[in-house]
Amino acid sequence: MTTLYDGIIFICLSLLLACAAHSATEKPTTGHPLPPWQSLQFEEKAFWATATATLTLFPDEENRSLWHFDVLSSVVNNTEQINILFEAGSDRVIKRSRLSRGSGQRMKSYQYKDQYVLRERRNQTSDPALPPEEWPVSSTQEIPYPATKTDTVITSPYLLMLIAQKLQSLGPNKSREVLVLTDRNFYRVKLSSGRGIPIDVDYQVDGRSQVSGERETLAVSIQVSPEGRLSDDNDFSLLGLIGDIIIFFDSESQLPVQVLGQAPRIGKTGINLKAVTMRTAEK
């Protein structure tokens, strides 16, 4: 990236942080409408590999106060499927699972209890017809919540995309703090909304029309810090990005068009929106 672009990003992030310092923390509210998109596909090309991630959001059929957030990501021969069930109003995770496929297959599930998170790992058996949910449990762990939790919502890294979506819709100078559980580590995350910068976009809508060119944006910065002592190595990331992250939203369509952060071994990287499926009107 050019020196000018780096300077603009620095100014943008600085303004976001300055605005956040003077704004009150937003309390999550109930009754949030679904965003205009149903699924988003992001893509990053680096060297000889292409990484893609498709995010899908839909309400639970039996309980409309609960939403499902599914993520399917792939890079080279490795894929990961994440399923999250959470409260639509608060973004509090109820349960989630992660199925990883590569040289081997394993599934991790997390159930969010009152006093702890129950983490279970299952390994693939020799029976290919056996679904992952029925693989034998290889390890079980109760992960206690941090003492500093109080009333702070415990959520998931990928749900930060949705939380940022809600925050930017409220306009600039808004902020919110949540706690995030990765595998076994807790992090405190502060999201702050502000003005963005023009972003060049090029994505497909509903498999038909193409949107390209420069778009004005709003931005949400994401600052992450460990909450207490980490159980494992630092493992927080969003779409593979680490460090301070900014999500840019098209000012008109409110679509997240770029996620900017640091990519391991690459440096500053912008992961761009490549395709979107818009949501049909709810009856």
Side-chain angles (χ1 to χ4, degrees):
M1 297 195 181
T2 65
T3 303
L4 177 60
Y5 186 72
D6 285 344
I8 294 175
I9 293 299
F10 177 79
I11 294 171
C12 181
L13 181 56
S14 299
L15 288 174
L16 284 171
L17 297 180
C19 290
H22 296 284
S23 62
T25 299
E26 293 296 317
K27 299 294 184 181
T29 59
T30 58
H32 282 291
L34 287 160
W37 53 267
Q38 178 176 316
S39 68
L40 305 166
Q41 181 179 326
F42 290 89
E43 181 180 276
E44 177 192 6
K45 293 184 178 180
F47 305 116
W48 47 270
T50 298
T52 62
T54 301
L55 288 56
T56 305
L57 176 69
F58 56 96
D60 188 80
E61 293 184 357
E62 297 181 357
N63 186 346
R64 305 290 286 189
S65 68
L66 302 179
W67 290 355
H68 296 265
F69 197 91
D70 293 350
V71 181
L72 180 61
S73 61
S74 65
V75 55
V76 193
N77 295 322
N78 298 301
T79 63
E80 189 172 74
Q81 181 178 334
I82 296 173
N83 304 106
I84 306 168
L85 178 66
F86 67 102
E87 292 179 344
S90 68
D91 307 305
R92 181 180 70 88
V93 173
I94 296 172
K95 64 179 181 179
R96 63 184 173 97
S97 64
R98 184 177 70 189
L99 176 62
S100 303
R101 290 187 170 97
S103 56
Q105 297 191 49
R106 61 189 179 278
M107 179 177 182
K108 295 179 183 178
S109 62
Y110 307 79
Q111 298 182 49
Y112 291 64
K113 307 290 187 178
D114 290 337
Q115 303 298 325
Y116 60 87
V117 178
L118 178 62
R119 174 188 182 272
E120 292 183 334
R121 172 171 173 155
R122 300 172 184 267
N123 293 333
Q124 184 186 24
T125 68
S126 57
D127 182 3
L130 195 66
E133 295 80 7
E134 298 180 16
W135 292 348
V137 176
S138 60
S139 67
T140 301
Q141 181 181 6
E142 293 180 358
I143 305 174
Y145 296 118
T148 53
K149 174 183 179 296
T150 60
D151 294 328
T152 309
V153 168
I154 305 288
T155 188
S156 166
Y158 274 110
L159 283 187
L160 296 175
M161 293 289 296
L162 181 61
I163 296 173
Q165 175 96 46
K166 296 178 181 179
L167 196 63
Q168 64 85 33
S169 69
L170 300 177
N173 307 339
K174 305 297 181 182
S175 67
R176 183 181 174 189
E177 283 193 6
V178 295
L179 290 177
V180 161
L181 173 65
T182 51
D183 186 19
R184 285 181 285 214
N185 291 329
F186 284 97
Y187 297 86
R188 183 167 293 273
V189 180
K190 183 172 184 178
L191 301 95
S192 306
S193 65
R195 300 295 179 185
I197 59 174
I199 296 289
D200 285 325
V201 306
D202 185 13
Y203 61 89
Q204 193 176 62
V205 180
D206 293 333
R208 299 188 299 271
S209 59
Q210 197 77 18
V211 177
S212 60
E214 189 176 84
R215 305 291 296 178
E216 295 295 327
T217 66
L218 299 173
V220 174
S221 69
I222 297 176
Q223 288 183 293
V224 182
S225 58
E227 188 74 356
R229 184 176 181 179
L230 298 181
S231 300
D232 293 322
D233 293 338
N234 194 325
D235 62 347
F236 178 89
S237 68
L238 177 60
L239 292 176
L241 300 177
I242 59 176
D244 290 332
I245 295 171
I246 304 177
I247 305 177
F248 294 98
F249 294 85
D250 187 307
S251 299
E252 183 177 346
S253 68
Q254 294 193 342
L255 291 175
V257 293
Q258 186 182 93
V259 184
L260 182 69
Q262 295 287 330
R265 298 184 299 277
I266 298 175
K268 186 176 293 183
T269 301
I271 299 180
N272 298 306
L273 180 66
K274 285 298 178 185
V276 58
T277 300
M278 302 303 291
R279 191 175 304 280
T280 56
E282 294 285 326
K283 295 183 179 180

